[in-house]
Amino acid sequence: MKIDILTLIPGVFQNVFNESVLGSALEKQILEIGFHSIRDFGEGRHRVVDDTAFGGGPGMVLKPGPLIQAIRALRENGEVAPVIGLTPQGVKLSQKLLKELSHKPRLMLVCGRYEGFDERIRREFDLEVSIGDYVLSGGEIAAMVFVDSMARLIPGTIGDQASVEQDSFFNGPLDHPQYTRPAVWESLPVPQVLSEGNHESINLWRKARSLKKTAVRRPDLFCRLNLDGKEKNLLQTCFAD
Ligand code: ADE
């Protein structure tokens, strides 16, 4: 997958993207990211990209000309890519949306700054995405969240794809609890079933804990799970202990 990011501050991405899972996806060329500065399309000697709002109000608004030119220049260059504007007014980012978009060969992310985009820029977006109901100072952190969670879904990024499929939200419920050595820490033991080596029992225990955690912490998600009879029984046993 190729992701083009349009931003006023391309430099902020380097450290985050060069580390860990993302860094290795880039190194393996499973993922390619192009950084593009909106300022390269700015107007005049000072490469102006923003202006005050018509009708007054605080802050600066991104002008349509430079940003639309930047989007169109990228569009003409390479495969068709949905253009995704990162704004607090977009659809909420979810594992489902990421999964749908993970099949695209190319995506374009547009980061806003200042008080927002001139409304006419929105006609260039195929989709607007928000990472939550709060306002960031710009779309860059949202783009980092988007790219990081997307990279995990591209086959080959994570060595063990089964671990991605067990992640919270992938199939609906939250992830089950995890433990590692030592077997006892400050008098707290690891649940016995996990060290007994019976994989069927371990899977049942994990499934039960995952359902319980979802029921307790995210009743909204839990209501949307279509539990079969076996899963309902499993959940009962784990509420009993
Ligand atoms: N830009 C500013 N706030 C944002 C948010 N919550 N999500 C995505 N982009 C944003």
Side-chain angles (χ1 to χ4, degrees):
M1 176 185 279
K2 162 117 201 245
I3 302 182
D4 288 297
I5 302 180
L6 263 167
T7 167
L8 279 167
I9 39 175
V12 294
F13 292 92
Q14 301 308 334
N15 285 346
V16 177
F17 283 5
N18 285 338
E19 296 296 326
S20 186
V21 167
L22 262 175
S24 104
L26 292 173
E27 208 177 313
K28 290 192 245 171
Q29 296 182 334
I30 295 165
L31 180 65
E32 190 189 337
I33 302 182
F35 299 102
H36 309 275
S37 173
I38 301 168
R39 203 163 292 283
D40 289 347
F41 295 83
E43 293 172 355
R45 203 155 57 89
H46 295 291
R47 302 233 169 258
V48 174
V49 293
D50 59 326
D51 207 335
T52 52
F54 270 116
M60 303 291 275
V61 177
L62 283 172
K63 289 164 78 66
L67 191 44
I68 290 178
Q69 265 188 45
I71 294 171
R72 289 184 183 163
L74 273 181
R75 262 211 179 109
E76 281 164 18
N77 186 2
E79 278 179 273
V80 174
V83 179
I84 302 172
L86 293 157
T87 80
Q89 292 128 32
V91 294
K92 197 114 32 107
L93 186 63
S94 65
Q95 200 69 19
K96 184 165 171 274
L97 178 62
L98 287 161
K99 211 169 150 188
E100 281 164 22
L101 293 170
S102 70
H103 302 293
K104 305 274 180 201
R106 189 176 174 216
L107 298 173
M108 214 186 286
L109 300 181
V110 183
C111 306
R113 280 257 125 195
Y114 313 119
E115 285 308 305
F117 300 106
D118 179 291
E119 196 64 21
R120 293 163 292 185
I121 294 171
R122 297 205 139 91
R123 298 169 40 173
E124 300 292 321
F125 297 152
D126 297 299
L127 182 68
E128 290 185 32
V129 169
S130 161
I131 61 162
D133 290 339
Y134 38 82
V135 180
L136 302 163
S137 336
E140 285 75 16
I141 291 174
M144 289 176 198
V145 170
F146 184 102
V147 173
D148 187 282
S149 41
M150 177 61 80
R152 298 177 61 77
L153 297 183
I154 303 172
T157 304
I158 308 268
D160 179 5
Q161 199 60 18
S163 94
V164 174
E165 289 175 22
Q166 275 164 21
D167 279 351
S168 293
F169 307 116
F170 201 92
N171 293 311
L174 300 179
D175 202 4
H176 55 75
Q178 299 276 18
Y179 294 88
T180 185
R181 272 174 276 275
V184 180
W185 169 252
E186 294 187 342
S187 316
L188 296 170
V190 168
Q192 202 178 340
V193 62
L194 297 181
S195 45
E196 284 173 347
N198 181 332
H199 289 288
E200 202 178 319
S201 312
I202 291 174
N203 285 341
L204 280 177
W205 182 89
R206 286 183 166 163
K207 175 107 205 184
R209 297 297 142 158
S210 152
L211 292 175
K212 181 177 176 181
K213 206 174 222 184
T214 313
V216 171
R217 296 196 179 183
R218 292 290 304 272
D220 57 319
L221 280 183
F222 185 76
C223 289
R224 297 205 297 269
L225 299 176
N226 253 328
L227 300 191
D228 60 25
K230 255 192 191 156
E231 288 170 324
K232 285 181 189 155
N233 285 341
L234 196 60
L235 188 60
Q236 265 176 357
T237 57
C238 99
F239 268 110
D241 55 50

